[in-house]
Amino acid sequence: MDYWSPFSVDDEFKKLVLRMNPPRVTVDNTSDKKTTLIKVDSANKRGSLLEVVQVLTDLNLIIRRAYISSDGEWFMDVFHVTDRYGNKLSEDNVAERIQQSLGPRGRSFRSMERSVGVQSAAEHTTIELTGRDRPGLISEIFAVLAHHKCNVVAAEVWTHNSRMASVVYITDEESRSSITDPDRLAKIRKLLLYVLKGDRDRQGANTEVSVGSTHTERRLHQMMYADRDYDKDDYTGCVSVDQRKKPLVTVESCTDKGYTVVTLRCPDRPKLLFDAVCTLTDMQYVVYHGTVIAEGPDAYQEYYIRHMDGCPVSSEAERQRVMHCLEAAIKRRTSTGIRLELCGDDRIGLLSDVTRIFRENSLSISRAEVMTRGSQAINVFYVTDASGGLVKTETIEVVRKEIGLTILHVKDDLYSNSPPQQTARFSLGNIIRSRSEKFLFNLGLTKSYS
């Protein structure tokens, strides 16, 4: 027998309101001389603000100012935006694209759009990895995947506070489609978990495998939050150089209005607003009002929040947790180390070879973005030395010569005086893989020929 529930009636009513009042987007290119105004208003629902910010971020728009209001059953947000070069928007279809993304079919559209270059959910398998960060970890992960005939079509790696999270999209090497064999996937997952655990992370390591797509950056925030990377670092070892760049976050009570006021000050960078709103949403807070100003080198954000149950932050422990989580969200994406860009012909095992060379030269990957466009591999790596410090110029040049001076480029002011590019002396396709054989042998993936 079906029982009547007032909650189901209430949910259906909210859905009806949303269908009757879809988001309305207007673009104003005349009111401000320097920015384009984007106004979004609609019936309110949980996550509305995050959806809007996510769409603007995915369109590579830079948010210079924002005014947020979502009290009651309606929300209205005003964003002052520019393109990535600081210019007002020139495209005529911006409003239509935003409205399409926020509409009924927008969720699947957005997840597909930002899967780090992945074109179709049915064409790849998604692997999620979390564990304790250490030098050489990423190299070992890609070596396992290469050995099991997996082609990495896209990936993103974040590290923070001695923790690592990664979302990797793979296909079968031969068919170039998703891998669905449960036995094969179980074996890959088991070996990856073994690599992640190492000898010091027996409890914290985790792997998940699925066929489908996700919003990669959104998922990375969720994974690192679940992994409690915001906690104090309990591990001994290197301290990342970004530990010195601490954002200023305050959490105070606004007792007369029943809110908690969160303010955030730090150097501005792209996607900062997304990172903050994503974290507050994951922590089950609702932003009722907010102001964002990011017109100079520094950014200021202010939020009036309550928990989903309508209560403000009620204890010192909760206040500290909000502060630590927002600090972690900002620092996860903070680029640590030297930026290396690799652009060249894609091939099976490319990532395994490149990251192995990094490992052999004592380079540690603090962040990585991997994608393929047609037959081209477009990869970005941020690398430090094994202790988390700056890499010597000589080491960078040795790595570039081994990978290819025309393939791997340095994008960092510290290395602007590096020697001019020369013809590559070695091709990745001809690199001898003997040193990686020992690692694969230890995992039981190859036989000894000695």
Side-chain angles (χ1 to χ4, degrees):
M1 178 181 294
D2 295 331
Y3 292 94
W4 175 83
S5 169
F7 297 103
S8 61
V9 173
D10 185 54
D11 290 342
E12 291 302 318
F13 177 74
K14 289 181 178 179
K15 292 178 183 178
L16 176 62
V17 171
L18 290 171
R19 286 196 297 269
M20 294 176 62
N21 299 277
R24 185 169 69 249
V25 181
T26 58
V27 177
D28 178 358
N29 239 336
T30 60
S31 297
D32 191 282
K33 293 182 179 180
K34 297 182 179 180
T35 64
T36 300
L37 272 65
I38 296 179
K39 303 175 183 178
V40 183
D41 59 282
S42 173
N44 199 7
K45 72 178 190 298
R46 182 177 180 273
S48 295
L49 175 61
L50 177 57
E51 284 194 10
V52 175
V53 172
Q54 182 172 304
V55 169
L56 297 180
T57 301
D58 290 349
L59 292 173
N60 292 317
L61 302 182
I62 306 299
I63 300 172
R64 303 297 181 183
R65 280 180 175 261
Y67 303 97
I68 300 159
S69 179
S70 62
D71 252 336
E73 298 300 321
W74 204 261
F75 83 90
M76 183 173 69
D77 301 335
V78 180
F79 301 91
H80 294 241
V81 306
T82 66
D83 63 18
R84 69 180 73 182
Y85 305 107
N87 303 316
K88 297 174 70 171
L89 307 187
S90 58
E91 296 183 33
D92 297 329
N93 64 340
V94 170
E96 181 182 348
R97 293 173 68 187
I98 296 173
Q99 197 139 349
Q100 178 185 7
S101 298
L102 294 174
R105 292 178 294 179
R107 188 175 302 276
S108 59
F109 167 81
R110 290 192 304 278
S111 65
M112 299 287 292
E113 180 82 1
R114 292 295 299 165
S115 291
V116 203
V118 177
Q119 298 301 316
S120 172
E123 295 176 356
H124 68 271
T125 301
T126 304
I127 298 179
E128 298 178 353
L129 308 163
T130 54
R132 185 184 186 278
D133 187 33
R134 55 180 167 79
L137 175 61
I138 305 303
S139 172
E140 295 173 14
I141 289 171
F142 288 140
V144 169
L145 294 174
H147 182 79
H148 281 272
K149 310 298 182 183
C150 299
N151 179 42
V152 178
V153 294
E156 189 152 353
V157 180
W158 287 2
T159 64
H160 173 247
N161 204 14
S162 297
R163 307 303 297 174
M164 184 282 302
S166 178
V167 178
V168 184
Y169 301 94
I170 63 172
T171 61
D172 177 71
E173 180 180 311
E174 294 183 2
S175 67
R176 295 301 180 101
S177 60
S178 61
I179 302 172
T180 57
D181 180 1
D183 293 335
R184 182 181 177 187
L185 289 175
K187 187 174 182 180
I188 294 172
R189 182 176 183 273
K190 181 179 178 180
L191 288 170
L192 289 173
L193 190 59
Y194 177 81
V195 168
L196 287 168
K197 286 183 176 181
D199 58 359
R200 298 182 61 185
D201 197 17
R202 301 295 181 183
Q203 302 297 324
N206 187 47
T207 65
E208 295 292 340
V209 179
S210 64
V211 178
S213 188
T214 183
H215 189 282
T216 308
E217 295 166 339
R218 175 90 172 90
R219 186 67 189 125
L220 285 168
H221 273 302
Q222 292 174 329
M223 291 163 62
M224 297 209 84
Y225 174 70
D227 198 36
R228 300 179 67 90
D229 73 313
Y230 54 85
D231 279 345
K232 298 295 182 182
D233 190 356
D234 296 327
Y235 300 100
T236 58
C238 66
V239 178
S240 175
V241 294
D242 73 334
Q243 296 288 341
R244 299 187 295 269
K245 304 175 183 178
K246 185 176 181 180
L248 177 61
V249 180
T250 63
V251 179
E252 300 176 345
S253 297
C254 181
T255 53
D256 56 332
K257 300 293 185 180
Y259 294 117
T260 296
V261 184
V262 176
T263 60
L264 185 157
R265 293 179 177 86
C266 67
D268 189 32
R269 61 163 173 77
K271 304 184 181 181
L272 180 63
L273 177 59
F274 171 80
D275 295 340
V277 172
C278 187
T279 299
L280 290 172
T281 303
D282 287 343
M283 296 182 72
Q284 308 295 310
Y285 292 107
V286 178
V287 176
Y288 288 85
H289 301 282
T291 301
V292 175
I293 302 174
E295 296 177 325
D298 296 325
Y300 171 82
Q301 298 179 13
E302 180 182 72
Y303 303 102
Y304 288 75
I305 67 170
R306 293 181 185 137
H307 201 268
M308 280 188 62
D309 60 9
C311 297
V313 172
S314 58
S315 69
E316 177 61 21
E318 185 181 2
R319 189 181 77 87
Q320 290 291 331
R321 185 165 173 265
V322 172
M323 292 171 58
H324 291 158
C325 288
L326 284 172
E327 289 173 3
I330 295 167
K331 293 165 69 175
R332 286 170 196 153
R333 201 195 291 270
T334 300
S335 302
T336 303
I338 303 303
R339 179 184 172 103
L340 301 178
E341 295 183 1
L342 185 150
C343 183
D345 293 335
D346 188 32
R347 63 170 177 79
I348 302 297
L350 175 65
L351 280 172
S352 178
D353 288 337
V354 170
T355 54
R356 174 179 54 79
I357 294 171
F358 288 167
R359 184 182 78 244
E360 291 173 347
N361 287 276
S362 300
L363 299 186
S364 182
I365 298 173
S366 63
R367 188 175 157 217
E369 299 174 12
V370 174
M371 68 175 65
T372 54
R373 291 179 182 170
S375 62
Q376 292 291 296
I378 303 173
N379 305 334
V380 176
F381 304 95
Y382 292 88
V383 298
T384 67
D385 64 17
S387 64
L390 293 177
V391 183
K392 294 181 179 179
T393 307
E394 311 88 81
T395 304
I396 292 293
E397 288 309 304
V398 168
V399 170
R400 292 188 62 227
K401 288 177 182 178
E402 191 167 358
I403 293 176
L405 293 171
T406 59
I407 298 173
L408 188 66
H409 305 281
V410 181
K411 300 293 182 179
D412 194 283
D413 292 339
L414 292 174
Y415 291 81
S416 58
N417 297 321
S418 297
Q421 295 180 7
Q422 304 172 8
T423 304
R425 293 189 297 173
F426 296 91
S427 168
L428 279 174
N430 298 324
I431 292 175
I432 299 175
R433 307 187 184 196
S434 60
R435 279 175 283 188
S436 64
E437 294 293 335
K438 181 179 179 181
F439 163 70
L440 296 175
F441 173 71
N442 290 336
L443 288 179
L445 301 180
T446 59
K447 298 179 181 180
S448 174
Y449 295 95
S450 57

